[in-house]
Amino acid sequence: MTADQPEIPVVCEECGTRTSVAFEDVEDAVARHNEQLHDGEPVAEVDPDVLEELADRLAKDIGLLE
């Protein structure tokens, strides 16, 4: 990971785990966790609070909230 790549928090409520993953690796890490531990079911995910904040910022940046 390079210094300019943010780390994204990933949570799995079923496992009781929380970790941070490099932005570029999030999709693969979540898919791998779910495949290995939950038979492919979408249990682990990017922290919902982070997704909501990102969606709000993106909407503001592209003018959807004006």
Side-chain angles (χ1 to χ4, degrees), residues 2-35:
T2 61
D4 59 342
Q5 286 287 316
E7 290 199 343
I8 307 299
V10 174
V11 295
C12 180
E13 296 296 332
E14 192 169 303
C15 291
T17 58
R18 178 182 181 92
T19 190
S20 293
V21 180
F23 179 81
E24 62 188 21
D25 298 329
V26 169
E27 185 176 2
D28 289 338
V30 169
R32 184 174 49 252
H33 175 93
N34 286 331
E35 191 63 41

Side-chain angles (χ1 to χ4, degrees), residues 5 8 14 25-26 28 36-37 40 43 45-46 49-51 54-55 60 63-66:
Q5 286 287 316
I8 307 299
E14 192 169 303
D25 298 329
V26 169
D28 289 338
Q36 291 175 350
L37 299 172
V43 179
E45 61 185 354
V46 171
D49 292 335
V50 172
L51 283 178
L54 180 58
K60 183 178 180 183
L64 293 177
L65 300 178
E66 294 178 354

